[in-house]
């Protein structure tokens, strides 16, 4: 049988499209809290490390070499565990060493380290132009859909928050959703000092990548302080893929 002009002769197998394999979903790295025994996303836990001399310190940036121990409890729970001797016992088992020194101010040291990591990240985002400051600038960018994450100082006025939240919803085409920006566990004074600007009350991140870089240390700090993301607040649901030593 002759093949009609301009018609390619192929087999039925070649004509049948092969189904594409679904790409596996990226899993969020998890770690086990040495105090509670519970496993949780790494971004909600804090890494502790021991120096060669046995001094236990927080590793807020997860960059210290060697083996680490993870805690997923709040500051209050950590202080209670340290006072009862449970923290040192758990760390001794984790590090396989009884020669450990725990500073009496360890819970405060952890908070300070987490806060500094968040503020340093905001400073870096400002230097590369991803951080937007100033109520008017944020409002204009928000209405234009050019904001990925909206943040408010803990002492920001309710009226100021509502106006920017509304502008953000308009730009995201989410009117009526009640979605609003996140309240930072830091007041305007702390933000102003860290960023070297006057009266920093509201902040915004311009893109998803910068929002993800900020949301990681923010999530960890809020979890440690016993805070949660209230219903209706929007956050970047992005996670880092890098793996670090345990």
């Amino acid at each position: 049988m002759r093949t009609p002009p301009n018609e390619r002769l192929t087999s039925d197998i070649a004509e049948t499209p092969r189904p594409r394999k679904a790409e596996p979903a990226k899993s969020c790295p998890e770690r086990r809290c040495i105090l509670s025994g519970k496993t949780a996303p790494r971004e909600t836990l804090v890494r502790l490390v021991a120096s060669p001399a046995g001094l236990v310190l927080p590793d807020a940036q997860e960059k210290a070499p060697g083996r680490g121990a993870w805690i997923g409890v709040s500051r209050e729970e950590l202080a209670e565990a340290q006072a009862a001797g449970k923290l040192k016992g758990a760390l001794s088992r984790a590090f396989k060493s009884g020669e450990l020194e725990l500073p009496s101010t360890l819970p405060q040291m952890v908070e300070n380290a987490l806060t500094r990591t968040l503020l340093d990240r905001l400073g870096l985002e400002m230097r590369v132009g991803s951080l937007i400051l100033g109520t008017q600038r944020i409002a204009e960018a928000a209405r234009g859909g050019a904001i990925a994450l909206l943040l408010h100082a803990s002492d920001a006025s309710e009226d100021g928050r509502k106006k920017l939240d509304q502008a953000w919803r308009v730009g995201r085409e989410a009117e009526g959703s009640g979605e609003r920006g996140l309240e930072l566990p830091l007041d305007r004074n702390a933000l102003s000092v860290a960023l070297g600007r006057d009266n920093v009350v509201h902040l915004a991140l311009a893109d998803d990548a910068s929002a993800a870089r900020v949301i990681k240390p923010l999530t960890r700090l809020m979890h440690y302080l016993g805070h949660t993301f209230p219903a209706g607040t929007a956050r970047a649901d992005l996670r880092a893929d890098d793996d670090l030593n345990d």
Side-chain angles (χ1 to χ4, degrees):
M1 183 177 68
R2 295 179 61 191
T3 303
N6 302 323
E7 184 172 319
R8 187 163 53 93
L9 182 62
T10 57
S11 67
D12 289 340
I13 295 177
E15 290 289 343
T16 305
R18 296 181 179 180
R20 295 180 62 186
K21 292 183 179 181
E23 296 183 2
K26 291 183 179 180
S27 59
C28 173
E30 294 186 333
R31 295 293 184 268
R32 178 177 172 273
C33 172
I34 62 170
L35 286 172
S36 68
K38 297 179 180 178
T39 300
R42 193 176 70 190
E43 66 177 22
T44 64
L45 279 71
V46 180
R47 188 172 187 255
L48 300 178
V49 294
S51 71
L55 179 63
V56 176
L57 299 169
D59 178 25
Q61 295 186 0
E62 308 169 54
K63 293 182 178 179
R67 186 177 180 83
W70 296 81
I71 55 169
V73 298
S74 66
R75 171 179 169 157
E76 182 180 353
E77 292 169 326
L78 179 63
E80 292 175 353
Q82 183 172 3
K86 294 181 180 179
L87 177 60
K88 187 169 186 177
L91 288 170
S92 296
R93 292 188 292 273
F95 291 125
K96 296 180 172 57
S97 172
E99 301 299 321
L100 297 175
E101 178 185 351
L102 277 64
S104 60
T105 58
L106 183 61
Q108 182 63 51
M109 291 172 66
V110 172
E111 180 179 343
N112 292 346
L114 296 180
T115 299
R116 174 46 53 193
T117 298
L118 172 59
L119 291 174
D120 286 348
R121 171 46 59 187
L122 290 173
L124 287 172
E125 297 302 332
M126 183 175 70
R127 285 195 284 277
V128 300
S130 298
L131 186 68
I132 304 172
L133 300 177
T135 302
Q136 189 59 37
R137 287 188 62 206
I138 293 174
E140 292 175 358
R143 283 192 291 269
I147 284 181
L149 182 65
L150 177 62
L151 304 169
H152 305 297
S154 60
D155 57 347
S157 70
E158 188 64 24
D159 184 58
R161 296 185 199 191
K162 287 182 177 180
K163 288 180 179 178
L164 290 180
D165 290 344
Q166 176 61 23
W168 193 34
R169 289 193 293 270
V170 169
R172 291 165 62 86
E173 298 183 354
E175 294 175 86
S177 67
E179 193 174 73
R180 59 188 186 276
L182 289 171
E183 178 184 332
L184 294 169
L186 301 165
D187 61 19
R188 68 182 69 195
N189 182 62
L191 293 170
S192 300
V193 171
L195 298 177
R197 298 294 180 88
D198 293 331
N199 200 33
V200 177
V201 183
H202 308 284
L203 313 88
L205 281 304
D207 55 75
D208 288 340
S210 61
R213 291 191 294 266
V214 169
I215 208 72
K216 180 180 178 180
L218 174 57
T219 298
R220 183 167 284 154
L221 175 59
M222 290 185 69
H223 186 270
Y224 181 68
L225 295 177
H227 299 171
T228 58
F229 290 96
T233 55
R235 50 163 293 184
D237 193 19
L238 302 172
R239 304 181 190 278
D241 296 326
D242 54 311
D243 285 324
L244 298 162
N245 295 330
D246 287 338

